[in-house]
Amino acid sequence: MADDTTGSRHAVVVGGASGIGWATVRQLASDGWRVTVADVNGGLAEARAAELAGPADAEARGHEHRVVDVVDESSVEALFSGNTPDLVVTTAGVSTLGLVTDHDTAEFRRVVDVCLTGTFLVLKHAGRVVVEGGSIVAIASLNARQPGRGMAAYCAAKAGLVMLAQVAALELGERGIRVNTVSPGFLVTPLTEPVLQIPGLAEEYAENAAVPHRGTAEDVARAVLYLADSPWMTGEDLAVDGGAQLRRYPDVLGLATKAFS
Ligand SMILES: NC(=O)c1ccc[n+]([C@@H]2O[C@H](COP(=O)([O-])OP(=O)(O)OC[C@H]3O[C@@H](n4cnc5c(N)ncnc54)[C@H](O)[C@@H]3O)[C@@H](O)[C@H]2O)c1
């Protein structure tokens, strides 16, 4: 459904200021969508919205930025209040490392809060306003399927996110709204740059894929756009990982411990 004022379809990308979210914003904008870049990092979101196609085009198409913190329900509610988007993409996520028996409980809760409860809050408030025929895409992870030692919080949150999206797909399908997830393998973004300091890890990720292609945020964005325009797809978790799900997950904690202790 086209936006009333600009004739473009409207997408809200939560976590849209960086990495996979920003690549998705760019592809949507170049495909003619009007995009709201929503992020907890308001300064970067503002810069991104302005960057989309230069100030003149941003004004014409109405790209905008919003500040949102997915763990704060009132801010998520405010983001969607008065909005009727055709597509909502939610990518906000954080990670941590720690063995189950040693894990700091507050840190465990922080990761679950952003990755799982944050996605729930987006589904709750976006699900009320997305137009009939529209869709929601949430970014899960290879770790929704593959456990990694020391990654309990992240793996549990991402696996929960996939099931949450499937339940939402059942419920929102009654109103013609589709809900899907994309599960990327390892790719370099500001989130994962620090782990590249662990010697041997990037090589392990590469060895564990089935094809030599090194994944990019653009590869993931393409899958998001595909799901957005696939009217018979809902409740799907699309792996975009070069076949890494077919093998084993690298021992991130083991390599980090060896390198830094
Ligand atoms: N990079 C990878 O290898 C990889 C692999 C699998 C899954 N993922 C998932 O993809 C998603 C995007 O990751 P990325 O690599 O692009 O990371 P990123 O850090 O580059 O981008 C994440 C964005 O989310 C925003 N954000 C963080 N917390 C937020 C909050 N509470 N409210 C609103 N926005 C918030 C950040 O400000 C940032 O702009 C995450 O959910 C991540 O778990 C990433």
Side-chain angles (χ1 to χ4, degrees):
M1 181 185 292
D3 183 274
D4 287 346
T5 49
T6 64
S8 307
R9 290 185 292 173
H10 178 209
V12 178
V13 182
V14 177
S18 176
I20 292 167
W22 172 228
T24 304
V25 165
R26 284 200 313 269
Q27 269 186 38
L28 285 164
S30 75
D31 277 14
W33 291 70
R34 179 170 80 83
V35 188
T36 298
V37 183
D39 205 286
V40 73
N41 185 340
L44 191 56
E46 181 174 12
R48 295 307 202 189
E51 200 181 318
L52 277 181
D57 185 80
E59 205 164 291
R61 196 105 49 79
H63 300 307
E64 58 177 8
H65 76 280
R66 297 284 295 273
V67 182
V68 67
D69 183 349
V70 295
V71 301
D72 172 1
E73 181 158 10
S74 58
S75 107
V76 178
E77 189 172 13
L79 174 64
F80 293 108
S81 148
N83 250 322
T84 50
D86 302 273
L87 170 68
V88 173
V89 182
T90 181
T91 80
V94 292
S95 186
T96 191
L97 276 180
L99 290 169
V100 172
T101 47
D102 293 338
H103 218 298
D104 179 74
T105 305
E107 181 65 358
F108 185 93
R109 286 201 168 110
R110 182 183 73 87
V111 173
V112 172
D113 227 19
V114 175
C115 294
L116 180 57
T117 313
T119 305
F120 159 70
L121 292 173
V122 171
L123 285 167
K124 175 176 173 180
H125 292 285
R128 294 173 177 180
V129 296
V130 168
V131 298
E132 193 180 321
S135 78
I136 302 173
V137 180
I139 305 300
S141 169
L142 172 60
N143 290 120
R145 304 167 193 226
Q146 266 187 351
R149 273 186 80 243
M151 300 182 68
Y154 188 74
C155 292
K158 291 295 189 177
L161 183 163
V162 169
M163 183 51 75
L164 168 70
Q166 290 177 358
V167 172
L170 272 181
E171 295 179 4
L172 295 177
E174 292 164 10
R175 292 181 19 233
I177 297 166
R178 297 174 297 105
V179 184
N180 292 290
T181 53
V182 175
S183 279
F186 180 84
L187 56 104
V188 179
T189 66
L191 180 75
T192 55
E193 248 162 33
V195 301
L196 289 177
Q197 307 308 315
I198 303 173
L201 188 60
E203 292 74 10
E204 270 226 37
Y205 275 119
E207 280 163 21
N208 284 335
V211 291
H213 175 75
R214 297 255 174 136
T216 64
E218 286 70 27
D219 291 322
V220 182
R222 213 169 290 121
V224 172
L225 270 78
Y226 169 74
L227 288 170
D229 274 329
S230 298
W232 213 25
M233 291 190 74
T234 195
E236 175 64 12
D237 178 42
L238 199 55
V240 183
D241 63 6
Q245 57 167 319
L246 308 173
R247 297 209 167 149
R248 66 175 182 82
Y249 202 75
D251 182 6
V252 180
L253 187 64
L255 286 168
T257 309
K258 205 161 102 188
F260 303 123
S261 61

